[in-house]
Amino acid sequence: MAPLDVALQGFSVFGLVLFVVLWLMHFMSIIYVRLCLHKKRSEAKQPFAQVLGVSLLKPLKGVDPNLISNLETFFTLDYPKYEILLCVQDQDDPAVDVCKKLLGKYPNVDAGLFIGGKKVGINPKINNLMPGYEAAKYGLVWICDSGIRVKPDTLTDLTNQMTEKVGLVHGLPYVADRQGFAATLEQVYFGTSHPRSYISANVTGIKCVTGMSCLMRKDVLDQAGGLVAFAQYIAEDYFMAKAIADRGWKFSMATQVALQNSGSYSIGQFQSRMIRWTKLRINMVPATVLEPVSECFLASLIIGWAAHHVFRWDMMVFFMCHCLAWFIADYIQLTGVQGGPLSFSKLDFAVAWFIRESMAVQIFLSALWDPTISWRTGRYRLRCGGTAEEILDV
C-alpha cells in the first residue's frame, strides 16, 4: 500500500474516532446537566455544632456596576458558620469604599477587610489573598471571584458535597442573564462548548477545575505549602487542584452553577479572556494543541471527509447535517445549564452560536502567536509547565 493511501486511511480512522469521542462528550454533558444540576437536596440541615465552618476569601480589584449587588449576596447567605475575608490590594482602590459600606450595613456578619496584600510571587490574585488566607479561622476555604453572585443556599450546596473523601468542591462556570449581545455570546459559550469539555473531563476522572468558585480543605492546601506554593503560577487554580488530587483527595461538583455577573463585559473582553485561557492551557497541558478539532466547524470537516472516504457519502451534505445536529445538541445543553427559560430568543442563540464557533480557531491561533498575557495590571511571559515571569516596563 502506498504511503499516501496509508496516510489517508489513518486520517479516516482518526475522523471516525473523533466522531465517537465528541458525541460521547455531548451525551455525557447533556445527561449530567439534566440529572445533576439545579437539584434541591432533601436532607435535613445539620445541627450547628456539626456544620463545617467556612472562610470565604474574596479577591477584589476595582469596581463595576454589579460589584456591590454581587458582594451583598455573600452577606445574606443562609449558613450559620462562615466568615467573609475581603481582600483589596491598594488602599486607593474604590472597592475599599464598597467593602466598608457593606461591613457597615451588615455588622452582625463575621467579616473583615484586608488591604495591602503580601508579595509572595508573580500571581497578583495570590498576593492579594495572602493576608486573608493567613487570618482564616475555619478548616474550609472558599475562594470566590469578585464577579460571582450566589443564592442564599449556595454555601449549603457546596458543603453538602464536601464528604469524607472529597478535598475540593467546585461550581460549573456559567453566566447570569444580562443585557446586550456580548452577554448572550458569553452565556452561549459557558452553556455549550465550555461545559461540554468541563463536565466530560470530570465525569471521566480528569481533574478539570476553574477557580471562580472553589471550596477546599485548608489543611490539605497547607500540606502543599499553602497559597505561597502557587504564587509562581498564573493559573493557580489548576495547580491547587492538582496538589489536592496528588494527595489522594476526590473532587465533587456543586449542583448550583458558579454564576458570573460582571457589570463590565464586551465582545472584545470575551475574546481577550478566551485567548488568555488558551495560552495558559497550552503552557500547562501540551495536549491543548488538539483543542481546535473539538470545535464544531473543524470537527465537522474532518469527520465529513472521513465519512466521504470510508462510506462515499457526500462530504458537504454530511458537514451541514453534522453542524445542525451539533447546534441542536448545544441548544439542549444550554437550556439545561440555564435551569429555566433563556433570556434571549432562538434567533439570538443561533447568531451568537455561529459567531462563537467561527471565533474558535482564530482564538487558538492568536494564543499560539504570542506567549505573553496581560492580566489585572501586569504583563507576564509564560513558560512551559505553567510558571511565568512578570514583564517589567523599563
Side-chain angles (χ1 to χ4, degrees):
M1 186 179 291
L4 180 59
D5 292 333
V6 173
L8 292 175
Q9 187 173 357
F11 193 71
S12 299
V13 171
F14 171 74
L16 297 178
V17 171
L18 182 65
F19 174 82
V20 172
V21 170
L22 292 178
W23 280 98
L24 280 175
M25 291 172 64
H26 272 292
F27 291 131
M28 277 192 292
S29 59
I30 289 173
I31 292 170
Y32 182 92
V33 163
R34 296 289 172 174
L35 293 180
C36 300
L37 284 189
H38 309 294
K39 300 299 180 184
K40 292 284 186 181
R41 288 186 173 267
S42 59
E43 300 132 10
K45 289 186 177 180
Q46 294 175 305
F48 180 82
Q50 298 178 17
V51 169
L52 300 171
V54 177
S55 296
L56 166 62
L57 293 171
K58 203 73 176 169
L60 302 171
K61 183 172 181 61
V63 298
D64 66 48
N66 293 344
L67 178 63
I68 190 164
S69 62
N70 289 337
L71 276 181
E72 192 163 11
T73 62
F74 291 87
F75 282 80
T76 57
L77 284 166
D78 182 17
Y79 195 81
K81 195 176 181 181
Y82 76 103
E83 62 175 344
I84 302 175
L85 308 173
L86 303 166
C87 302
V88 184
Q89 185 71 45
D90 301 315
Q91 177 68 52
D92 297 330
D93 194 309
V96 171
D97 292 334
V98 172
C99 294
K100 289 180 178 179
K101 181 177 180 180
L102 288 171
L103 291 172
K105 185 176 180 180
Y106 296 94
N108 295 326
V109 175
D110 186 0
L113 175 60
F114 298 83
I115 302 173
K118 182 179 180 181
K119 180 74 172 180
V120 293
I122 57 97
N123 187 307
K125 180 177 176 180
I126 296 290
N127 292 337
N128 190 10
L129 289 176
M130 279 304 300
Y133 183 82
E134 292 173 346
K137 63 184 179 184
Y138 292 123
L140 297 179
V141 291
W142 180 19
I143 298 179
C144 192
D145 286 353
S146 60
I148 300 292
R149 68 179 297 115
V150 293
K151 298 178 181 179
D153 61 344
T154 295
L155 186 48
T156 301
D157 177 52
L158 287 165
T159 54
N160 279 342
Q161 315 301 321
M162 186 63 78
T163 55
E164 184 179 349
K165 296 182 179 180
V166 173
L168 183 151
V169 180
H170 54 114
L172 174 69
Y174 190 50
V175 184
D177 294 339
R178 297 170 298 175
Q179 297 297 315
F181 182 75
T184 300
L185 184 65
E186 281 197 354
Q187 212 161 357
V188 167
Y189 170 72
F190 282 103
T192 59
S193 177
H194 187 273
R196 183 170 59 250
S197 301
Y198 195 92
I199 292 172
S200 299
N202 282 285
V203 168
T204 55
I206 300 171
K207 307 303 184 187
C208 182
V209 173
T210 64
M212 296 179 197
S213 176
C214 280
L215 182 69
M216 296 169 281
R217 294 183 184 269
K218 189 173 185 291
D219 59 339
V220 180
L221 284 178
D222 288 338
Q223 290 170 18
L227 286 190
V228 177
F230 308 102
Q232 62 180 314
Y233 307 108
I234 295 298
E236 79 292 331
D237 48 1
Y238 172 85
F239 291 97
M240 283 193 286
K242 184 177 183 300
I244 293 171
D246 288 346
R247 283 160 177 77
W249 292 91
K250 295 181 179 181
F251 293 0
S252 182
M253 200 183 304
T255 67
Q256 295 184 18
V257 296
L259 200 62
Q260 304 167 77
N261 189 43
S262 173
S264 175
Y265 52 94
S266 67
I267 295 175
Q269 286 176 312
F270 169 76
Q271 192 172 29
S272 297
R273 186 186 189 191
M274 293 301 102
I275 291 173
R276 185 176 74 247
W277 284 9
T278 304
K279 288 179 180 181
L280 290 170
R281 290 197 299 273
I282 289 172
N283 280 271
M284 294 184 303
V285 185
T288 300
V289 297
L290 296 176
E291 266 189 18
V293 301
S294 69
E295 301 290 353
C296 178
F297 295 153
L298 184 55
S300 296
L301 280 174
I302 295 171
I303 296 168
W305 186 91
H308 172 72
H309 185 75
V310 175
F311 305 112
R312 300 302 173 189
W313 294 347
D314 186 285
M315 180 176 171
M316 290 311 299
V317 171
F318 184 92
F319 172 82
M320 297 300 293
C321 291
H322 191 263
C323 287
L324 178 61
W326 194 296
F327 172 83
I328 294 170
D330 274 354
Y331 186 80
I332 293 171
Q333 180 172 283
L334 173 62
T335 56
V337 176
Q338 174 79 3
L342 296 172
S343 62
F344 46 85
S345 68
K346 292 182 176 65
L347 178 59
D348 289 335
F349 167 74
V351 174
W353 181 89
F354 180 82
I355 291 175
R356 211 298 301 175
E357 293 294 340
S358 300
M359 292 168 63
V361 174
Q362 178 265 326
I363 285 173
F364 181 80
L365 293 177
S366 297
L368 286 178
W369 184 257
D370 181 10
T372 65
I373 66 169
S374 297
W375 184 45
R376 296 183 178 239
T377 57
R379 290 181 64 241
Y380 306 89
R381 182 176 291 106
L382 299 174
R383 299 195 188 105
C384 185
T387 58
E389 62 177 339
E390 189 172 5
I391 300 173
L392 301 175
D393 295 327
V394 179

